[in-house]
């Protein structure tokens, strides 16, 4: 072989602590290296041009670039060598930036280490073989998991782009958290008015199949060809017959059913429709509170239903959908704030969450838009808002900022004044974070026009004064004094956490999640929508906290990724996959047993049973290679001989 | 390239591309300073890491090996790290028997977001290796020869099988013979003190069948070569476990195999018998009684009491009767529950790590790489395609060094992890008496400890533990990085 | 009359020290284990040795399990790294060697190896270099053994063939008899006492050993009969059904001389080596072709090759069996496969 080695300075990023010229000089002694040099910025246009020129001039048939992480620029340089006429897989990278120059200051040690990393890259490249991708058909349908505003946006954009969409929503209605909001900041426009039409569009769009009250049970397959099993929970109402007339909910005798949609601010009926604008507008029976289902007698709803839609015998159902890619938009939940004993730990009815407050503010909520406090149904005068309840708090393992609480608190303070003009709002805050368009201006209005009193400091204790008020005691760190406020209602800006079941879903999707359960994007800055699993994209808060505009933007971005993927008629596999050496295979089937993808099958070959890799299914993990005792199944570009060559280069000294 | 003298030690890392390699990148982006010793080999998945890569590195001069993959439940390939976790844990428990300090190998899980954790892992591990210092090399070890204490107490009465229903067995085989290609058993070898495998195809062949303490060979070794044909096999309890393990691994089909079984009362350790007999011209007589065998050779009488001369495995045997059989004759002796550590393993347990390295140096020097150990093994089904002798892949050189020979034994042991039934044919077959069974026994002990007392070859339906996984492993816990 | 010397049992270490003055001495050394083995190892002052028959023959002295035929080093031109120069060194690694206390079957083994390596159309320089510097001190066998059959194949417990000195244990010590000028010279310089007086004891011991042997079958017809079996597949199938196809029989044989050659290392960072290692016709790799095709996939065909080579082909080429009846293939076989039985079956029954 004739290998070219290019050592990148990355400006001073690498050059500062690695003697790049020396590494190039050492590389010249490595086997098959015909040319080695150092470049200032190998990824920049002149750098790539220099690599291409060297390939031609020195008749190179393989290239090693030592620069940053291959997770960043491996695709870039593969294209570079391809432009110069090489197979794109005749290329290896040595990571001498993240793994060398940025983590060590000892230039001698770094230089030596960089040279060794180049050496193992050379040894691997010497055993690389040109590979070519296989193309396979795409199923141009998309699964969107989660029908909040991000999922809705992604679904509508995909559907408008002509892609059939399967939308799965865990709750009985789409709309997500946004559907529960009364108004939205900073415009204070009605949430239902802007979200409602989109929800209707979802219901009416010919390209969208909606599975509400359903969850993703299992996902198999790979980009272009996923098979998804969806578990439809029993609603006990035949939705094909239900017209959403509401007759059942009026007559249902079980009127003390907890109302999840209203954040448990008031009761509802055992059979109910979440809210008037619900999509689908269909009734669902809560089996834990339905008298018929619990005690076996009642049957009122079945009697009153004009279409005979009630079915107490309904069982859950698994449906299978075939799709080509998946968007996860599973949103968030609020953390369990009752861990805070200082706020009463849930003991005081008039300490509520901001989302509960939204339901109190909402005209479709339990109080029909009147702010009435839960304990006695009276209108509060003094309302205290406490920020960062479960955000930016290391003591409970939640160091991150939930992002949008500062803004909705300002909004809620404004709305409080609108609803109850003689009320006074107080906000205990740590910092006010208002970096969006018109955001800071909005906060100033809350303070200046609406008289909201902002107190910088933490609340140390809330306790009842015995006269129906709550004493909120805290510190004003700006004034350096203790403050006590007699509150009628306390609203906690409870921090955001990943939606329940996110880790389990991530496992089904084979994507990563961070320590808080938020899904990991492919690159924090440059690939915020992609995941490391091809064909799986992210939208909304499931990827990290964000507000409505950002969620909508990411929903559209995910849709753009889907449409871009589907713009092609065929996909190409990554040819770095396993292959069976039929001579060595003894058909023991261990590889078949261990393959996580079912990508290996038994075939007859000249009268003998042998294993065979299904090329478009294999994802290239290499579990089979380390399982096969004969070494009969080898993962291209991570063969036993390649890894052994790397080990030998490092260890036989 | 040489290790930087005095500054660095040789530490090799195997990192999965998706999580831990990314975690190391994240640490770099955060400028999280780390010691410079570690050299990272990028692999797609921790499941790609054959534990033998790690042994290769450690035998070839690495002072430490660090493996890192995605956290359990977080594998990019959904299950690769589950397989890795089991295999790597078995390896970790295996290394000390070779004389390699298991602290020199560690595996962990670091996600792409955990740059700080990666920094901590690398720093802690490098620090640990520096505290341990350069790894002792097999090449520098002083050969040590030592013999295991064979004065053992059996978990069940040992005898010569005097009352075995041999005639009934012969009748049963004759009755079945027309349906079978052949039935594998034992016959007398070149003299009455040696027995060899017998392949019965005619009723006359069946008359040659013998039963008794000389039946040392494991006939299951031949089963895979009969794949696809109807074959009968006469088994001792231990042999039957090999048959079951072959069934577990789909290497033979149940409907193709007819199993004839009689309870075994122990077999002779022919190594010690032959040594006691010494060089003789001819056997004059072999006579049996309940407790043992008396051999007269060249007019000299030698007494072999089964309690003193059984194979090491027989003392700890808990399956005197076949675990699976179609025709079963006789009643087995009851097994007393009790602890049993195989003699060679007990000897190694009592040694320091340095002594073990010296021990293997001393033993491996005389290995001729004849591969009798491998070919006698009923579970070595690669046969013609053993990786010890191939160039593609090339795991070993042809050099006759103790390192290469010990590495082969490690290959065999690791390939037997969760599969070895402890039949001991490898060691029995070794012409120069290298106690290699101890390596398989250590693997078996580790597997039993990790997987709730799992013993290979007891249940045809059981999934061999290293071909499966649990999401939560009961007995494998991540070590803390303090 | 040859030189005769006598050495007391106590005087053996001093004698070995004398031998090792100018040569590497390979002596039988006991390896304690549950299964004890005896191997030839380089003797150094103070090292215990044994006079037992070794488990492994002394073939190592001329044909090591692994030897470096040549080393190669590639050097790159610093100006133009694509220019690589190659340096080879193929000097045979041979040192003067004395084999001490091998048995007559081992010594005859050297004669068997000499024919193809030295007397054929090609002379093997590596073998030659070793063989020319080899002195063989053979200990006669005191008696026959159940697995031994040297007297079937032209040898015997005191066969002198291949030896420079023949040693026989007698009461109190060993009588050493020079057989070749090299052996005589070695004994003359040894300072050992004259052994002529004890020589009759030695002769008596040798005779006694012969007397313990069974009657040897007549194998004159063996080459023709074994060759005639070549196409009798059933015969080989039946004779070898229990063979495990390992290499014990060939690697422990004093006359098996097949080898494999491999290159280890690319020669860039450190010199690469071209190795010659023992090969083994019982292994499927022995005949596997580069295409993957293998003309001898069945064990029976491989065993046919081994037995035919020793009892038909080699005799056809060189006029002697290439089996010296040491019996190691029988005693070391994991399944006690008995080459005697195969040959006798071939000779006895009609094909």
């Amino acid at each position: 072989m004739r290998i070219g080695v290019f050592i990148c300075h990355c400006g001073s990023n690498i050059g500062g602590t690695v003697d790049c010229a020396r590494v190039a000089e050492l590389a010249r002694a490595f086997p098959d290296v015909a040319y080695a040099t150092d470049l200032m910025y190998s990824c920049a246009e002149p750098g790539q041009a220099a690599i291409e020129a060297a390939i031609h001039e020195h008749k190179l048939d393989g290239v090693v670039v030592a620069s940053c992480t291959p997770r960043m620029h491996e695709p870039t340089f593969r294209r570079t060598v391809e432009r110069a006429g090489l197979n794109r897989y005749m290329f290896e990278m040595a990571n001498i930036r993240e793994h060398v120059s940025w983590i060590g200051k000892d230039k001698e040690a770094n230089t030596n280490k960089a040279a060794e990393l180049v050496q193992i890259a050379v040894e691997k490249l010497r055993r690389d073989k040109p590979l070519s991708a296989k193309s396979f058909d795409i199923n141009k349908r998309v699964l969107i998991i989660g029908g909040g505003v991000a999922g809705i946006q992604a679904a509508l954009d995909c559907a408008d782009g002509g892609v059939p969409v399967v939308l799965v929503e865990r709750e009985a209605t789409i709309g997500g958290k946004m559907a529960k909001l009364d108004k939205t900041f900073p415009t204070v426009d009605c949430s239902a008015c802007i979200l409602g039409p989109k929800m209707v569009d979802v219901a009416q769009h010919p390209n969208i199949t909606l599975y509400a009250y359903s969850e993703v049970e299992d996902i198999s397959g790979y980009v272009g060809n996923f098979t998804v099993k969806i578990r439809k929970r029993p609603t006990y109402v035949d939705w094909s017959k239900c017209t959403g007339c509401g007759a059942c909910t009026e007559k249902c005798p079980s009127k003390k059913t907890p109302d999840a949609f209203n954040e448990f601010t008031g009761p509802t009926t055992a059979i109910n429709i979440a809210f008037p604008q619900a999509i689908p507008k269909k009734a669902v029976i809560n089996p834990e509170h339905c008298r018929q289902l619990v005690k076996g007698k009642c049957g009122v709803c079945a009697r009153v239903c004009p279409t005979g839609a009630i079915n107490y015998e309904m069982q859950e159902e698994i449906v299978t959908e075939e799709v080509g890619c998946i968007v996860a938009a599973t949103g968030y939940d609020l953390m369990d704030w009752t861990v805070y004993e200082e706020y009463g730990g849930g003991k005081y009815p008039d300490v509520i969450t901001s989302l509960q407050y939204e339901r109190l503010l909402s005209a479709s909520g339990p109080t029909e838009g009147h702010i009435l406090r839960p304990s006695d149904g009276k209108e509060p005068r003094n309302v205290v808002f406490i920020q960062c309840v479960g955000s930016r708090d290391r003591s409970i393992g939640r160091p991150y900022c939930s992002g949008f609480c500062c803004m909705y608190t300002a909004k809620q303070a404004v709305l409080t004044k609108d609803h109850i003009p003689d009320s006074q709002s107080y906000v205990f805050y740590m910092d006010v974070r208002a970096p969006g368009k018109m955001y800071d201006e909005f906060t100033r209005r809350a303070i200046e026009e609406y008289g909201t009193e902002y107190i910088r400091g933490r609340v140390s204790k809330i306790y009842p004064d015995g006269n129906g008020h709550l004493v909120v005691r805290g510190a004003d760190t700006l004034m350096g004094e203790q403050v006590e406020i007699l509150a009628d209602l306390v609203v906690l800006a409870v921090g955001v956490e990943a939606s329940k079941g996110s880790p389990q879903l991530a496992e089904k999707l084979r994507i990563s999640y961070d320590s808080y359960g938020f899904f990991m994007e492919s690159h924090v800055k440059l690939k915020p929508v992609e995941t490391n699993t091809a064909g799986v994209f992210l939208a909304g808060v499931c990827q990290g906290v964000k507000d409505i505009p950002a969620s909508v933007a990411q929903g559209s971005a995910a849709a753009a990724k889907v449409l871009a993927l589907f713009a092609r008629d065929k996909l190409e596999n990554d040819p770095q996959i396993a292959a069976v050496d039929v001579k060595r295979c003894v058909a023991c089937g261990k590889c078949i047993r261990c393959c996580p993808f079912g990508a290996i099958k038994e075939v007859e070959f000249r009268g003998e049973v042998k294993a065979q890799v299904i090329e478009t299914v294999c994802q290239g993990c290499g579990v089979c290679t380390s399982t096969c005792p004969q070494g009969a199944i080898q993962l291209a570009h991570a063969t036993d001989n390649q890894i052994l060559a790397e080990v030998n280069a490092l260890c036989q000294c | 390239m040489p290790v930087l003298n005095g500054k660095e030690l040789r530490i090799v890392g195997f990192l999965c591309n998706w999580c831990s390699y990314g975690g190391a990148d994240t640490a770099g982006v955060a400028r999280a300073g780390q010691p410079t010793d570690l050299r990272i080999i990028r692999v797609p998945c921790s499941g790609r890491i054959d534990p033998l890569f790690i042994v290769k590195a450690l035998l070839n001069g690495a002072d430490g090996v660090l493996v890192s993959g995605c956290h359990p439940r977080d594998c990019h390939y959904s299950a690769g790290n589950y397989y890795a976790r089991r295999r790597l844990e078995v390896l970790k428990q295996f290394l000390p028997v070779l004389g390699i300090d298991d602290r020199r190998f560690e595996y962990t899980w670091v996600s792409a977001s955990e740059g700080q954790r990666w920094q901590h892992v690398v720093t802690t591990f490098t620090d640990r290796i520096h505290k341990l210092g350069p790894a002792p090399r097999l090449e520098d070890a002083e050969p040590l020869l030592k013999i295991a204490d064979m004065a053992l107490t059996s978990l069940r009465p040992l005898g010569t099988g005097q009352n075995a229903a041999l005639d009934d067995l012969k009748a049963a085989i004759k009755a079945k013979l027309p349906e079978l290609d052949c039935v594998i058993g034992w016959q007398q070898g070149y003299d009455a003190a040696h027995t060899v495998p017998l392949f019965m195809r005619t009723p006359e062949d069946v008359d040659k069948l013998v039963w008794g303490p000389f039946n040392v060979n494991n006939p299951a070794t031949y089963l895979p070569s009969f794949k696809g044909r109807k074959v009968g096999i006469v088994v001792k309890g231990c042999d039957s476990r090999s048959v079951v393990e072959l069934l577990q691994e789909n290497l033979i089909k149940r409907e193709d195999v007819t199993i004839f079984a009689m309870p075994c009362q122990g077999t002779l350790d022919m190594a010690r018998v032959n040594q006691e007999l010494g060089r003789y011209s001819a056997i004059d007589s072999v006579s049996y009684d309940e407790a043992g065998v008396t051999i007269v050779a060249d007019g000299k009488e030698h007494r072999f009491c089964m309690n003193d001369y059984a194979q090491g495995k027989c003392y700890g045997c808990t399956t005197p009767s076949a675990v699976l059989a179609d025709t079963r004759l006789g009643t087995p002796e009851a097994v007393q529950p009790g602890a049993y550590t195989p003699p060679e393993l007990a000897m190694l347990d009592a040694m320091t790590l340095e002594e073990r390295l010296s021990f293997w140096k001393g033993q491996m020097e005389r290995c001729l790489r004849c591969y009798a150990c491998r070919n006698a093994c009923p579970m070595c089904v690669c046969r013609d395609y053993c990786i010890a002798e191939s160039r593609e892949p090339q795991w070993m050189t042809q050099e006759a060094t103790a390192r290469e020979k010990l590495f082969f034994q490690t290959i065999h042991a690791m390939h037997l992890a969760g599969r070895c039934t402890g039949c001991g044919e490898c060691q029995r077959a070794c012409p120069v008496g290298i106690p290699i069974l101890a390596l398989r026994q250590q693997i078996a002990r580790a597997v039993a400890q990790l997987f709730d007392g799992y013993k290979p070859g007891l249940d045809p339906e059981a999934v061999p533990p290293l071909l499966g996984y649990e999401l939560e492993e009961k007995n494998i816990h991540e070590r803390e990085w303090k | 009359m040859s030189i005769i010397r006598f050495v007391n049992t106590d005087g053996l270490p001093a004698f070995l020290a004398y031998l090792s003055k100018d040569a590497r001495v390979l002596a039988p050394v006991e390896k304690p284990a549950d299964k004890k083995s005896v191997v030839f190892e380089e003797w150094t002052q103070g090292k215990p040795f044994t006079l037992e028959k070794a488990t492994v023959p002394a073939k190592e002295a001329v044909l090591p399990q692994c030897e470096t035929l040549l080393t190669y080093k590639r050097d790159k031109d610093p100006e133009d790294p694509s220019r690589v120069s190659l340096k080879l060194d193929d000097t045979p690694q041979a040192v003067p060697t004395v084999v001490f206390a091998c048995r007559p079957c081992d010594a005859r083994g050297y004669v068997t190896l000499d024919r193809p390596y030295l007397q054929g159309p090609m002379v093997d320089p590596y073998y030659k270099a070793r063989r020319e510097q080899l002195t063989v001190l053979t200990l006669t066998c005191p008696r026959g053994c159940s697995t031994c059959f040297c007297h079937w194949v032209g040898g015997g417990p005191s066969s002198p063939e291949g030896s420079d000195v023949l040693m026989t244990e007698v009461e109190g010590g060993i009588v050493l008899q020079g057989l070749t000028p090299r052996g005589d010279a070695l004994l003359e310089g040894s300072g050992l006492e004259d052994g002529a007086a004890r020589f009759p004891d030695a002769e008596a011991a040798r005779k006694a050993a012969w007397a313990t042997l069974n009657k040897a079958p007549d194998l004159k017809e063996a080459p023709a009969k074994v060759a005639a079996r070549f196409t009798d597949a059933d015969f080989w199938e039946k004779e070898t059904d229990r063979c495990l196809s390992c290499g014990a029989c060939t690697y422990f044989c004093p006359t098996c001389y097949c080898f494999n050659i491999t290159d280890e290392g690319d020669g860039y960072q450190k010199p690469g080596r071209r190795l010659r290692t023992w090969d083994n016709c019982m292994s499927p790799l022995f005949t596997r072709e580069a295409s993957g095709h293998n003309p001898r996939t069945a064990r029976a065909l491989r065993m046919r090759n081994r037995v035919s080579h020793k009892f038909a082909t080699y005799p056809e080429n060189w006029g002697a069996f290439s089996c010296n009846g040491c019996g190691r293939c029988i005693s070391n076989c994991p399944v006690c496969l008995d080459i005697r039985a195969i040959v006798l079956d071939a000779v006895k029954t009609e094909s």
Side-chain angles (χ1 to χ4, degrees), chain C residues 138-202:
Chain C
T138 304
L139 185 67
T140 61
C141 289
R143 62 187 309 159
C145 172
S146 60
T147 50
C148 291
F149 57 106
C150 50
H151 58 305
W152 295 20
V153 287
S158 52
S159 165
E161 210 181 342
S163 302
D164 294 298
V165 173
L166 205 56
M167 312 192 292
T168 302
E169 273 190 281
V170 296
E171 174 128 19
I174 291 174
V175 173
L176 302 94
Q177 175 192 11
L179 297 179
T180 61
R182 175 177 289 197
D184 284 348
L186 190 120
L187 289 181
E188 277 185 318
S190 69
L192 292 177
E193 63 180 89
D194 186 78
R198 300 301 305 273
F199 192 62
D201 294 348

Side-chain angles (χ1 to χ4, degrees), chain B residues 138-445:
Chain B
L138 186 67
E139 284 70 13
D140 303 331
E142 198 57 47
L144 169 72
L145 294 166
K146 220 173 170 180
I147 313 178
D149 180 6
M150 297 301 287
L152 303 167
T153 312
S154 173
L155 299 181
R156 60 177 169 115
L158 296 174
T160 58
Q162 271 296 278
N163 301 319
L166 182 58
D167 290 336
D168 296 345
L169 177 63
K170 285 179 181 170
I173 294 171
K174 281 178 185 168
K176 268 277 185 189
L177 202 54
E179 303 161 32
L180 303 171
D181 242 39
C182 98
V183 178
I184 315 169
W186 303 266
Q187 62 181 329
Q188 185 186 312
Y190 57 80
D191 61 31
H194 294 86
T195 296
V196 297
L198 165 68
F199 298 82
M200 297 170 263
R201 294 189 169 85
T202 64
E204 295 73 50
D205 290 340
V206 179
D207 290 330
K208 295 182 194 162
L209 180 67
V210 296
W211 182 265
F214 290 105
N215 285 9
V216 290
N217 302 77
N218 183 347
T221 303
Y222 298 101
L223 278 185
S225 62
F226 283 90
K227 196 176 180 179
R229 287 185 278 166
K230 300 283 180 201
V231 61
I233 184 167
V234 188
V235 292
K236 312 186 288 291
C238 50
D239 306 333
S240 77
R241 287 182 59 193
S242 303
V243 177
V244 169
E245 181 63 29
L246 289 168
L247 289 169
Q248 276 181 267
E249 297 180 24
N250 294 328
L251 294 162
I252 52 173
K253 290 204 167 65
R254 183 67 186 93
E255 61 268 26
D256 290 344
V257 186
T258 307
I259 307 167
F260 301 91
M262 286 210 291
C264 170
Q265 294 190 323
T267 49
L268 286 164
D269 181 351
M270 292 308 294
R272 283 184 294 149
V273 170
N274 286 334
Q275 193 165 326
E276 166 66 26
L277 290 173
R279 287 168 69 79
Y280 60 85
S281 302
I283 297 287
D284 303 324
S285 71
V286 177
S287 54
Y288 298 83
D289 54 62
E290 294 282 335
V293 186
T294 305
I295 302 175
V296 182
D298 294 350
K300 195 175 167 216
E301 189 176 300
H302 304 267
R303 170 74 185 157
F304 300 100
C305 186
M306 288 305 292
N307 278 332
D308 302 326
Y309 278 91
Q311 293 200 69
K313 65 172 177 176
C314 298
Y315 296 93
C317 172
T318 53
T319 55
S321 191
V323 295
L324 182 72
D326 299 293
T327 301
R328 214 183 264 279
L329 298 160
T331 328
E333 302 279 359
V335 176
Q336 308 297 318
Y340 164 80
T341 305
E344 275 99 359
L345 198 51
M347 168 179 66
L348 283 157
D349 283 348
M351 292 184 190
T352 63
L353 287 170
E354 289 70 24
E355 285 170 337
R356 290 179 203 157
L357 202 62
S358 289
F359 178 77
W360 291 117
K361 172 80 171 288
Q363 300 296 332
M364 287 303 158
E365 282 178 337
R366 66 179 182 276
C367 165
L368 293 186
R369 295 181 77 165
C370 74
Y371 296 116
C373 49
R374 174 190 73 192
N375 288 33
C377 174
M379 301 320 301
C380 268
V381 292
C382 305
R383 305 280 166 180
D384 297 2
Y385 294 96
C386 177
I387 58 168
E389 296 169 294
S390 77
R391 305 289 281 192
E392 191 73 48
Q394 188 188 4
W395 282 87
M396 293 177 58
T397 73
Q398 292 303 304
E399 284 156 300
T401 57
R403 185 210 285 182
E404 293 297 299
K405 295 166 183 176
L406 184 58
F407 186 63
F408 172 70
Q409 291 305 325
T410 308
I411 291 176
H412 193 202
M414 292 308 295
H415 281 182
L416 284 172
R419 305 172 63 229
C420 174
T421 60
C423 76
E425 285 290 88
C426 49
Q427 179 163 323
R428 192 191 61 75
C430 179
V432 291
I434 304 175
I436 43 181
L437 180 57
L439 299 175
R440 286 78 178 158
Q441 287 165 336
Q442 173 58 26
I443 288 270
R445 181 164 66 179

Side-chain angles (χ1 to χ4, degrees), chain A residues 333-352:
Chain A
D333 278 311
L334 296 186
M335 60 90 61
D336 176 14
W337 69 271
T338 59
V339 298
Y340 287 99
E341 287 296 327
E342 57 266 46
Y343 305 148
K347 283 201 299 283
Y348 312 130
D350 294 332
V351 178
I352 63 172

Side-chain angles (χ1 to χ4, degrees), chain A residues 482-494:
Chain A
Q482 287 282 322
V483 288
E484 274 194 3
I485 294 163
L486 211 55
D488 301 304
L489 185 66
V490 178
V491 179
L492 306 177
V494 177

Side-chain angles (χ1 to χ4, degrees), chain B residues 33-51:
Chain B
Q34 297 154 42
T36 53
D37 309 52
L38 180 74
R39 304 287 181 267
I40 293 172
I41 294 175
R42 181 167 70 132
V43 292
C45 176
S46 53
R48 170 66 189 91
I49 301 163
D50 192 322

Side-chain angles (χ1 to χ4, degrees), chain A residues 314-577:
Chain A
M314 190 180 270
Q315 299 291 317
E316 73 171 34
E317 188 190 340
I318 305 281
V319 292
T320 302
E321 289 280 1
E322 310 279 339
V323 298
C325 60
I326 300 171
V327 177
T330 51
Y332 68 97
D333 278 311
L334 296 186
M335 60 90 61
D336 176 14
W337 69 271
T338 59
V339 298
Y340 287 99
E341 287 296 327
E342 57 266 46
Y343 305 148
K347 283 201 299 283
Y348 312 130
D350 294 332
V351 178
I352 63 172
T353 70
S354 47
L355 206 51
Q356 288 174 323
Y357 198 54
E358 289 288 338
R359 295 314 299 152
L360 297 185
L361 291 167
S362 169
S364 65
T367 56
E368 294 173 343
H370 301 293
I371 304 174
L372 304 173
R373 62 183 201 164
S375 61
D376 52 11
K378 288 185 186 154
E379 209 167 59
R381 285 292 166 272
N382 287 347
V383 180
V384 172
F385 295 91
I386 303 176
Q387 300 300 91
C388 300
V389 179
S391 299
R392 304 178 66 196
D393 188 348
R394 280 181 197 282
S395 71
I396 59 154
R398 294 195 184 272
Y400 58 87
C401 171
S402 290
F404 47 59
C405 321
C406 288
M407 290 310 300
Y408 72 61
T409 297
K411 174 198 75 181
Q412 288 178 343
V414 166
L415 290 172
T416 305
K417 196 78 176 173
D418 282 345
H419 280 253
I420 310 168
D422 62 345
S423 66
Q424 174 62 48
S425 294
Y426 302 88
V427 178
F428 281 92
Y429 73 102
M430 285 163 67
D431 298 289
V432 172
R433 298 193 161 170
K437 198 171 182 178
M438 302 292 290
Y439 285 13
D440 201 57
E441 296 91 317
F442 183 75
T443 310
R444 298 311 315 170
R445 270 177 63 203
I447 297 167
E448 289 158 12
E449 291 178 28
Y450 289 82
T452 309
E453 198 165 319
Y454 272 66
I455 304 158
R456 190 175 195 279
R458 302 293 289 162
V459 169
S460 60
K461 196 167 175 58
I462 300 175
Y463 59 95
D465 72 343
N467 298 320
H469 305 289
L470 293 164
V471 180
V472 179
R473 182 191 290 165
D476 184 334
T477 55
L478 294 180
M479 304 299 288
E481 58 185 33
Q482 287 282 322
V483 288
E484 274 194 3
I485 294 163
L486 211 55
D488 301 304
L489 185 66
V490 178
V491 179
L492 306 177
V494 177
V496 165
E497 66 179 19
S499 177
K500 283 178 191 59
S502 292
Q504 289 75 14
L505 181 64
E507 287 155 24
K508 289 172 191 162
L509 289 165
R510 298 195 299 273
I511 60 174
S512 304
Y513 52 95
D514 67 18
S515 48
Y516 311 109
F518 294 110
F519 300 148
M520 288 280 290
E521 62 284 339
S522 207
H523 188 278
V524 68
K525 287 186 274 289
L526 300 180
K527 290 182 174 182
V529 178
E530 295 94 323
T531 66
N532 280 331
T533 298
V536 177
F537 306 107
L538 304 176
V541 183
C542 66
Q543 176 258 335
V545 282
K546 54 182 69 68
D547 58 12
I548 292 167
S551 293
V552 171
Q554 202 177 11
S556 285
K561 290 289 170 190
V562 172
L563 294 171
L565 187 74
F566 288 171
R568 282 177 283 178
D569 288 325
K570 298 246 183 198
L571 286 182
E572 289 195 334
N573 72 337
D574 181 338
Q576 298 177 103
I577 56 171

Side-chain angles (χ1 to χ4, degrees), chain A residues 82-125:
Chain A
E82 196 166 47
R83 276 199 303 278
L86 299 189
N87 180 280
R88 55 162 57 206
Y89 293 97
M90 297 307 286
F91 169 78
E92 291 294 338
M93 253 179 121
N95 182 349
I96 61 167
R97 192 178 74 177
E98 283 85 347
H99 292 189
V100 180
S101 70
W102 276 353
I103 58 165
K105 293 196 172 71
D106 180 335
K107 195 160 187 170
E108 185 201 6
N110 279 0
T111 303
N112 180 60
K113 181 177 177 182
E116 287 191 30
L117 294 183
V118 170
Q119 190 187 354
I120 62 173
V122 167
E123 289 296 341
K124 182 157 185 263
L125 177 61

Side-chain angles (χ1 to χ4, degrees), chain B residues 455-469:
Chain B
K455 280 184 167 182
L458 294 182
D459 173 8
E461 304 301 318
V463 176
L466 295 196
L467 297 180
Y469 59 84

